[in-house]
């Protein structure tokens, strides 16, 4: 398949923004040769309260020459919320739908126009102000995929506050760590949420997190809670909740029994706060390089990194990548399935689409509820034109064959996007042929929390380079470390509160370059294929994790003396976790212990990090100096006997024992 070329069907896109490869090349060339002019032109479509003063872009990308610094449009002032909402409303788009909201339950849906969104955002910005939130303060968001989540994010930007969204699948410990690191003043959440058939009691998790954060020295001042469950409970009753609410449905019983924990001094209901809030809120003009948001991503030391994005550059980049990569035209309906808790949700559910005045679908549910054709049903319902999802979702839906797809009319689709991990050819072909009927273009978008937006094909302004282990540039076909030579507007500026870690993580390995941590292969035509992480990161269902954080969670168990975690390929998740555990002397490795360990990872990090396999290891393969040789463990986990050079191991005999005890894999 790698040798086959699939061209976009000409009937699909009579008027794309970029009409040919030639035109792309011309634009790309200009973005590289005259980046300031290129982005300055793009900046003209937005509102700047004051223009930029010095240079349009200034930076130092070389640690050997001084601190890393990246600045776009320094001196300019603006407000992102103003650009996303007020500007569009003023341009006559007030009645245009910003979001179609589709709940977990198909009966539960609504819509929000640009004008109504603006009113809600202003009201909530006033609520935040009443809670003492000022410019620069951090506001944590632990929410389901509901309209209020977008409202909170934009309300923050309206007053210059910095949002820190935490994916509502993270455990209370993970949330606590993020509250503490960001010193978030306010936390916004909902009482709970249904995800498929499962109930998540979010407020309970928040309470545990706030308590933990307080114990470690940071107290969240206010917690604002959206009442979300009663609405869902009400809609359940439509299909006869009385009948179902018996022993067959413990989850539903749990929902009816759920008493939302409450602290009168700290907690407030969303509706009570919004009731009297004024719907007018003048935007706070902020500097181009003032912080916009923080988003935590896994770090190889185990402690998550608060990736910081700033205002002007991120706006330009989110808007421009969205427009060109998805070829979004006015009137189109766009749907990105990512949760707002990840960067994809930030840039391509919220900022990119709204900056283009787009109409999007915001989906709360899961692809398998109430049936395996839910995604396709939603595409049909809203006549979606651009659909953006992850290979892991495609693979999990492919399993059910073409029948659930064929039940729905997907003829509205024009562009299909893929993100989060390398897409395998089987999944690509199914996406192309079955979902896209062999007509839609597929955009494979490589990027990271740190990059702020898409960086491949390469996108405008992006200069990818391949380096070998010694930092020597690989010209022409070959494989190596994927690095970037200069900043584009949307790249992160620092790690919150730790600029040194920022420099060490991304700029020390190869001075003069931003190191992505990924590897890539350049083919004969110059196309770059991402090969995956080259560091201690794992990619489970498109979620990045570090071996260190999973090992940390397991090592805390009293029965464990040593642990090593590696990734192995998984047919649906892309990669999954395989953990090797050495127990303390006299402690037996039992299925019960294995369950306990798995639970520990769920509690410390979140359910999505739960290991696929926990294997007992009487000892671990180590070098003579005592370093665990993960390379060998990775091979064992894959049952691959091509171990390479093992002469440096202190004791080779453990290898056979580990192979012999390898649990049966699916
Ligand atoms: C991986 C998600 C191959 C990569 C936007 C990267 C991909 C990490 C792709 C970032 C892709 C993301 N092809 N690999 N199209 N997209 N990745 O920060 O390893 O959650 O470094 O951002 O996901 O994950 P993050």
């Amino acid at each position: 398949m790698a040798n086959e070329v699939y061209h976009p069907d000409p009937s699909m896109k009579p008027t794309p923004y970029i009409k040919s490869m030639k035109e792309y090349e011309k634009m790309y060339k200009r973005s590289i040769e005259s980046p300031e002019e290129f982005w300055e032109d793009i900046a003209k479509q937005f509102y700047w309260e004051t223009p930029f003063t010095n240079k349009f872009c200034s930076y130092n990308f070389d640690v050997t020459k001084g601190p890393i610094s990246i600045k776009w449009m320094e001196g300019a002032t603006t407000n992102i919320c103003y650009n996303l909402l007020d500007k569009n409303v003023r341009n006559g788009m007030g009645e245009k739908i910003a979001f179609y909201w589709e709940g977990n339950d198909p009966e539960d849906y609504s819509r929000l126009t640009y004008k109504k969104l603006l009113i809600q955002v202003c009201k909530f910005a006033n609520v935040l102000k009443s809670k003492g939130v000022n410019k620069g303060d951090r506001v944590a968001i632990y929410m389901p995929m509901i309209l209020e989540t977008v409202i909170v994010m934009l309300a923050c930007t309206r007053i210059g506050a910095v949002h820190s969204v935490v994916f509502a699948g993270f455990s209370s410990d993970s949330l606590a760590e993020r509250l503490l690191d960001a010193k978030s003043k306010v936390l916004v959440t909902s009482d709970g949420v249904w995800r498929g058939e499962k109930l998540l009691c979010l407020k309970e998790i928040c309470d545990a997190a706030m308590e933990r954060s307080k114990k470690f020295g940071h107290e969240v001042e206010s917690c604002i809670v959206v009442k979300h469950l009663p609405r869902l409970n009400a809609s359940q009753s439509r299909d006869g909740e009385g009948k179902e609410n018996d022993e067959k449905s413990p989850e539903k019983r749990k929902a009816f029994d759920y008493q939302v924990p409450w602290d009168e001094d700290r907690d407030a209901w969303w509706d009570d706060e919004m009731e009297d809030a004024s719907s007018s809120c003048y935007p706070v003009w902020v500097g181009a390089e003032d912080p916009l948001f923080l988003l935590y991503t896994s770090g190889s030391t185990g402690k998550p990194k608060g990736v910081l994005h700033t205002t002007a550059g991120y706006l330009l980049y989110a808007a421009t990548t969205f427009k060109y990569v998805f070829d979004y035209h006015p009137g189109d309906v766009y749907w990105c399935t990512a949760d707002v808790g990840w960067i994809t949700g930030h840039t391509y559910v919220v900022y990119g689409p709204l900056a283009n005045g787009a109409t999007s679908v915001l989906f709360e549910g899961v692809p398998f509820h109430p049936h395996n054709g839910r995604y396709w049903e939603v595409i049909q319902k809203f006549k979606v034109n651009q659909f953006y999802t992850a290979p892991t979702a495609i693979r999990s839906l492919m399993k059910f064959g073409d029948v659930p797809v064929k039940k729905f009319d997907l003829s509205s689709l024009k562009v299909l996007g893929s993100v989060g991990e390398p897409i395998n050819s089987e999944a690509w072909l199914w996406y192309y042929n079955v979902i896209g009927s062999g007509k839609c273009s597929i955009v494979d978008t490589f990027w990271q929390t740190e990059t702020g937006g898409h960086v491949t094909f390469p996108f405008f302004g992006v200069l990818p380079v391949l380096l070998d282990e010694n930092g020597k540039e690989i010209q022409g076909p070959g494989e190596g470390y994927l690095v970037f030579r200069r900043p584009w507007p949307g790249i992160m500026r620092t790690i919150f509160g730790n600029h040194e870690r920022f420099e060490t993580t991304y700029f020390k390995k190869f001075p003069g370059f931003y190191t992505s941590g990924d590897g890539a292969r350049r083919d004969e035509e110059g196309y770059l294929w991402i090969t995956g992480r080259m560091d201690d990161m794992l990619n489970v269902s498109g979620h990045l994790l570090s071996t260190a954080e999973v090992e940390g969670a397991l090592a805390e168990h009293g029965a464990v003396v040593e642990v090593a975690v590696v990734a192995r390929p998984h047919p649906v998740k892309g990669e999954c976790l395989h953990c090797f555990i050495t127990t303390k002397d006299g402690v037996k490795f039992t299925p019960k212990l294995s369950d306990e360990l798995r639970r520990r990872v769920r509690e410390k990090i979140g359910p999505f990090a739960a290991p696929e396999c926990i294997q007992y290891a009487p000892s671990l393969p180590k070098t003579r100096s005592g370093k665990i040789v993960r390379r060998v463990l990775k091979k064992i986990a894959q049952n691959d006997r091509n171990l390479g050079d093992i002469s440096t191991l202190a004791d080779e005999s453990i290898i056979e024992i580990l192979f012999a005890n390898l649990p049966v894999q699916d």
Side-chain angles (χ1 to χ4, degrees):
M1 182 246 170
N3 297 328
E4 282 170 46
V5 175
Y6 293 78
H7 290 286
D9 190 298
S11 71
M12 297 299 288
K13 290 206 267 156
T15 52
Y17 292 117
I18 304 173
K19 293 180 184 56
S20 62
M21 271 308 279
K22 239 198 171 127
E23 193 172 333
Y24 157 79
E25 276 154 17
K26 206 171 117 200
M27 286 173 81
Y28 179 71
K29 193 160 172 257
R30 178 164 178 253
S31 78
I32 296 302
E33 287 173 1
S34 324
E36 306 205 346
E37 254 174 66
F38 182 91
W39 292 107
E40 219 180 308
D41 273 357
I42 284 174
K44 287 185 188 137
Q45 56 188 284
F46 296 106
Y47 176 78
W48 308 96
E49 174 70 5
T50 52
F52 71 97
T53 42
N54 193 2
K55 278 173 67 108
F56 195 81
C57 170
S58 58
Y59 69 94
N60 172 36
F61 239 36
D62 189 342
V63 263
T64 62
K65 296 202 176 120
I68 300 295
S69 94
I70 303 155
K71 290 185 174 138
W72 289 84
M73 296 187 75
E74 217 188 351
T77 57
T78 189
N79 180 283
I80 285 222
C81 180
Y82 182 88
N83 275 294
L84 268 45
L85 302 181
D86 307 57
K87 192 170 108 344
N88 285 330
V89 171
R90 277 163 198 245
N91 287 342
M93 285 180 8
E95 297 312 316
K96 193 173 172 184
I97 307 281
F99 289 104
Y100 289 109
W101 180 74
E102 170 85 3
N104 184 58
D105 182 332
E107 303 269 315
D108 209 5
Y109 53 90
S110 62
R111 53 175 65 184
L112 196 59
T113 61
Y114 272 85
K115 190 164 155 213
K116 286 199 175 136
L117 179 56
L118 174 59
I119 293 171
Q120 295 297 310
V121 165
C122 287
K123 287 182 86 163
F124 197 71
N126 285 323
V127 171
L128 288 175
K129 283 201 265 184
S130 77
K131 298 289 172 189
V133 176
N134 294 311
K135 178 170 180 261
D137 287 343
R138 274 79 57 204
V139 173
I141 301 176
Y142 189 76
M143 302 265 273
M145 285 286 280
I146 54 179
L147 293 165
E148 286 85 346
T149 309
V150 182
I151 294 167
V152 182
M153 290 166 78
L154 296 178
C156 289
T157 68
R158 192 152 192 96
I159 58 171
V162 180
H163 59 71
S164 165
V165 184
V166 180
F167 171 57
F170 274 112
S171 67
S172 61
D173 281 9
S174 294
L175 174 57
E177 194 172 11
R178 287 154 175 79
L179 292 173
L180 198 59
D181 187 80
K183 304 223 165 14
S184 295
K185 205 170 198 174
V186 171
L187 169 61
V188 188
T189 187
S190 78
D191 45 1
V193 63
W194 285 95
R195 210 166 269 158
E197 311 274 314
K198 222 176 140 31
L199 174 72
L200 299 178
C201 301
L202 299 185
K203 179 60 168 53
E204 239 172 50
I205 298 171
C206 286
D207 274 35
M210 286 188 283
E211 199 172 302
R212 192 176 162 89
S213 169
K214 189 173 165 186
K215 212 170 92 192
F216 286 93
H218 173 70
E219 191 168 354
V220 173
E221 290 174 22
S222 318
C223 179
I224 301 167
V225 188
V226 175
K227 204 172 254 164
H228 185 49
L229 285 181
R231 191 164 74 209
L232 293 180
N233 283 342
S235 74
Q236 275 159 29
S237 63
R238 267 181 254 151
D239 51 71
E241 144 281 299
K243 264 187 282 120
E244 274 197 67
N245 190 25
D246 54 19
E247 72 280 3
K248 264 199 265 157
S249 180
E251 285 291 309
K252 284 193 182 166
R253 246 199 355 242
K254 190 164 120 198
F256 284 91
D257 292 345
Y258 176 40
Q259 298 285 327
V260 180
W262 208 255
D263 175 334
E264 285 296 339
D265 296 331
R266 182 197 60 198
D267 302 343
W269 287 108
W270 171 281
D271 288 341
D272 294 345
E273 296 291 323
M274 289 289 268
E275 202 179 326
D276 298 324
S278 157
S279 60
S280 101
C281 175
Y282 194 72
V284 170
W285 305 115
V286 303
E289 284 298 337
D290 277 344
L292 173 64
F293 67 80
L294 275 181
L295 183 61
Y296 286 85
T297 186
S298 291
S300 55
T301 58
K303 191 175 148 45
K305 304 174 290 217
V307 168
L308 185 95
H309 284 285
T310 57
T311 303
Y314 179 83
L315 169 64
L316 299 185
Y317 205 66
T320 313
T321 47
F322 176 80
K323 173 178 169 180
Y324 289 111
V325 174
F326 299 116
D327 198 43
Y328 181 91
H329 290 262
D332 285 348
V333 177
Y334 158 88
W335 179 23
C336 166
T337 66
D339 194 286
V340 173
W342 307 107
I343 189 68
T344 308
H346 281 60
T347 310
Y348 300 111
V349 174
V350 181
Y351 290 102
L354 293 176
N356 283 277
T359 297
S360 308
V361 176
L362 187 75
F363 179 52
E364 180 187 43
V366 295
F368 320 104
H369 177 80
H371 56 79
N372 297 325
R374 185 72 191 280
Y375 270 4
W376 325 128
E377 187 177 38
V378 173
I379 291 175
Q380 171 182 283
K381 180 168 173 182
F382 298 107
K383 300 195 171 50
V384 171
N385 304 110
Q386 291 89 1
F387 177 64
Y388 190 30
T389 197
T392 184
I394 299 165
R395 287 191 298 264
S396 63
L397 291 165
M398 254 169 89
K399 280 198 309 208
F400 306 109
D402 303 1
V403 176
V405 186
K406 299 286 181 227
K407 285 189 194 144
F408 302 99
D409 176 8
L410 304 187
S411 60
S412 56
L413 288 173
K414 295 193 284 191
V415 176
L416 302 173
S418 172
V419 61
E421 50 184 311
I423 184 164
N424 50 312
S425 48
E426 213 190 346
W428 194 99
L429 285 171
W430 191 77
Y431 203 24
Y432 182 76
N433 288 319
V434 180
I435 306 307
S437 298
K439 285 182 164 178
C440 299
S441 310
I442 297 191
V443 283
D444 182 7
T445 59
F446 165 80
W447 61 297
Q448 310 176 302
T449 306
E450 293 88 336
T451 70
H454 305 145
V455 286
T456 53
F457 174 57
F459 193 72
F460 304 135
V462 175
L463 253 183
V465 172
L466 285 187
L467 297 181
D468 69 13
E469 190 59 56
N470 304 317
K472 201 169 154 278
E473 213 171 312
I474 300 168
Q475 309 277 359
E479 194 170 328
Y481 289 87
L482 177 64
V483 302
F484 296 94
R485 199 187 286 286
R486 61 155 89 141
W488 52 90
I491 192 174
M492 73 186 289
R493 302 298 195 260
T494 190
I495 290 175
F496 182 70
N498 199 342
H499 197 68
E500 197 186 329
R501 188 174 179 202
F502 171 63
E503 294 178 337
T504 311
T505 310
Y506 305 104
F507 294 93
K508 284 249 162 87
K509 190 170 171 70
F510 300 114
F513 297 97
Y514 165 84
T515 301
S516 67
D518 284 286
R521 177 172 62 79
R522 188 186 289 115
D523 68 15
E524 301 289 335
E525 290 173 39
Y527 187 82
L528 287 172
W529 299 78
I530 309 296
T531 50
R533 301 291 305 194
M534 310 270 276
D535 51 12
D536 289 338
M537 297 296 205
L538 316 165
N539 193 328
V540 179
S541 301
H543 303 325
L544 263 202
L545 290 165
S546 71
T547 48
E549 68 185 321
V550 182
E551 286 170 0
L554 292 167
E556 278 177 16
H557 193 286
V560 173
V561 69
E562 202 161 39
V563 47
V565 175
V566 297
R568 69 170 154 85
H570 183 277
V572 173
K573 298 177 179 177
E575 283 185 331
C576 67
L577 303 180
H578 190 116
C579 312
F580 295 89
I581 302 279
T582 308
T583 48
K584 284 201 174 130
D585 262 357
V587 178
K588 255 186 94 129
F589 186 84
T590 58
K592 185 168 159 271
L593 174 60
S594 174
D595 285 350
E596 266 175 47
L597 290 169
R598 189 168 283 115
R599 196 159 0 108
R600 179 154 287 249
V601 178
R602 294 173 72 95
E603 282 167 9
K604 289 296 289 188
I605 304 171
F608 61 89
E612 196 74 10
C613 172
I614 300 191
Q615 175 177 359
Y616 172 63
S619 69
L620 295 169
K622 289 185 182 161
T623 59
R624 285 186 191 87
S625 58
K627 212 171 164 246
I628 298 172
V629 188
R630 277 165 214 287
R631 177 180 59 79
V632 169
L633 287 172
K634 230 175 155 158
K635 294 277 186 182
I636 297 173
Q638 293 177 42
N639 204 3
D640 177 353
R641 286 184 176 269
N642 266 323
L643 294 177
D645 180 15
I646 50 168
S647 62
T648 56
L649 295 192
D651 173 16
E652 284 173 31
S653 67
I654 185 62
I655 292 178
E656 270 319 307
I657 298 172
L658 292 177
F659 269 121
N661 289 327
L662 208 55
V664 184
Q665 295 171 12
D666 45 60

